[in-house]
Amino acid sequence: MSNTRRSKRVHPGWYFGGFVLAVPAAAALTVLLWPQLFGLQRVFPFAQAVSFRMVATLSLVFALVILGLLLVPSRRLRGLLAAGTVVVAVATIASGAVVLSRGVNAVLEPTGADGSVRVLAWNTLGNEPGSPTIADLALEYRADVVMLPETTQDMGLEIAGLMKAEGRPMWVLSNTGAPGYRAAETTLLVSVELGEYELNESLGDTEKLATVIAEPVSGDGPTLIATHPIAPVHREMAVWNRDLEWLSTVCRGDTIIAGDFNATLDHLAGLADADVPGAQLGACRDAALDAGAAAVGTWPSGRAPLVGTPIDHVMYTSQWEVTGFEVIARGELDGSDHRPVFAELSRTTNHE
């Protein structure tokens, strides 16, 4: 009897070995899931790894199931894998909590408040959806401001013509980082009801893909910024960092900024003004986060929204609040690899 009981005991070395394996696993998962804790959120390859939080969470769930199955048949494996299983379980809960705290509701119905500004942003993949599709979408959402990365001025003029024919005339302002290259051009449409707007080129630009900064000629109204920082591919990491840092310097005052930021909220960590509560970039807040939709992916459009990455944003300074929001996911909008993002913004009664 005593010999049998002793034979079923797990040698302490298995538990020690499991602990030795669990420590680096915990460190690796912490770096991958929360790189901003170490200042690595805009460093290759950690910036890329943190881009798809829901995918990471689902992968952890799968790993947890596999570990659970391995624990069943062998006491030695239980000793070896117990600590690691706890680490993966904690990481799964933490990752899922981040996703849920940012929000998975793709739609916040607009209130139609008086004086609100309705913003539509869509990276059109170099004009691919075509002017009728873009104009129809802008008219459907009664957009006052349409911010279109990877859209040429000629396409913007076509869209404006179609909208004018439907009683919705728009100003058209464009900028390009590389003439003749559609993906480098950004176009901004502004309803004439908001007053006349003009380009302000004195504040700088994103380096390779264009940003449009427009200000009201009368001085009455928000600065409008349609932006497109470069994607964080390995060879462009330095440019991407500089683009985001520059955006943090112009996102202040009375401003609405939207477009393809090529960055999630994780990547923007450390770029907010410390003295502006709730800001994510400069002095700007993120509409998706305030609307409870910041975990809904906008790219690539071919994936289900919850397994995509939320890199397209509408942001605003403290003069505004979000009163409507939607990540628009429809089959007929497949012309681009990005989903359009809509936000209704209303003036706040009190702001700093």
Side-chain angles (χ1 to χ4, degrees):
M1 294 282 294
S2 61
N3 289 337
T4 302
R5 283 195 294 268
R6 279 197 296 270
S7 68
K8 290 182 179 180
R9 292 175 181 172
V10 178
H11 191 279
W14 289 95
Y15 292 101
F16 179 76
F19 177 78
V20 170
L21 292 174
V23 170
L29 286 172
T30 302
V31 173
L32 291 174
L33 295 174
W34 203 254
Q36 50 267 56
L37 186 64
F38 308 94
L40 298 174
Q41 68 272 22
R42 290 186 294 280
V43 176
F44 182 89
F46 307 102
Q48 289 71 21
V50 79
S51 296
F52 293 88
R53 277 203 172 273
M54 181 61 82
V55 173
T57 302
L58 295 175
S59 299
L60 287 169
V61 171
F62 179 75
L64 197 58
V65 171
I66 297 300
L67 286 169
L69 294 174
L70 291 174
L71 292 177
V72 173
S74 169
R75 292 187 178 187
R76 288 179 176 179
L77 278 179
R78 285 200 290 274
L80 182 65
L81 299 177
T85 302
V86 171
V87 166
V88 174
V90 170
T92 303
I93 293 169
S95 183
V98 172
V99 170
L100 292 175
S101 69
R102 291 181 178 173
V104 295
N105 298 316
V107 180
L108 172 65
E109 291 295 336
T111 64
D114 291 340
S116 62
V117 173
R118 301 169 71 92
V119 181
L120 179 70
W122 193 10
N123 179 326
T124 68
L125 193 63
N127 297 344
E128 281 302 311
S131 55
T133 296
I134 302 169
D136 287 347
L137 190 66
L139 289 166
E140 178 185 348
Y141 281 82
R142 295 185 289 113
D144 302 296
V145 178
V146 185
M147 302 195 179
L148 301 171
E150 296 198 25
T151 306
T152 63
Q153 184 177 46
D154 288 344
M155 177 64 71
L157 291 170
E158 289 181 21
I159 296 166
L162 293 170
M163 294 183 72
K164 182 178 181 180
E166 297 296 325
R168 192 74 170 165
M170 311 288 282
W171 302 106
V172 179
L173 304 102
S174 294
N175 185 22
T176 183
Y181 180 41
R182 290 179 176 180
E185 194 161 351
T186 297
T187 292
L188 166 66
L189 281 70
V190 185
S191 171
V192 298
E193 294 180 3
L194 296 183
E196 184 177 359
Y197 271 74
E198 61 183 357
L199 287 173
N200 181 351
E201 299 177 340
S202 66
L203 298 178
D205 199 353
T206 37
E207 292 189 20
K208 294 188 175 182
L209 307 176
T211 288
V212 177
I213 301 179
E215 295 182 340
V217 173
S218 67
D220 183 19
T223 296
L224 301 174
I225 304 176
T227 192
H228 192 194
I230 200 152
V233 295
H234 191 196
R235 67 181 180 275
E236 300 288 6
M237 291 299 292
V239 176
W240 178 64
N241 271 275
R242 290 196 296 269
D243 281 351
L244 294 178
E245 289 167 1
W246 173 74
L247 281 179
S248 72
T249 69
V250 296
C251 206
R252 59 190 68 251
D254 182 0
T255 295
I256 296 171
I257 179 171
D260 173 10
F261 287 62
N262 273 312
T264 69
L265 293 180
D266 292 296
H267 300 132
L268 300 182
L271 293 178
D273 289 353
D275 57 348
V276 180
Q280 283 77 49
L281 179 68
C284 285
R285 301 176 63 95
D286 180 54
L289 185 61
D290 288 345
V296 181
T298 63
W299 181 89
S301 59
R303 290 188 181 184
L306 288 181
V307 296
T309 182
I311 58 174
D312 300 86
H313 303 271
V314 178
M315 295 188 173
Y316 44 84
T317 48
S318 60
Q319 293 86 354
W320 301 91
E321 62 182 351
V322 62
T323 52
F325 184 84
E326 183 176 352
V327 176
I328 304 170
R330 298 181 187 171
E332 71 269 21
L333 300 176
D334 288 341
S336 173
D337 57 343
H338 288 253
R339 290 188 174 90
V341 176
F342 164 80
E344 180 189 75
L345 306 178
S346 300
R347 285 286 188 182
T348 56
T349 54
N350 296 301
H351 61 266
E352 297 179 2

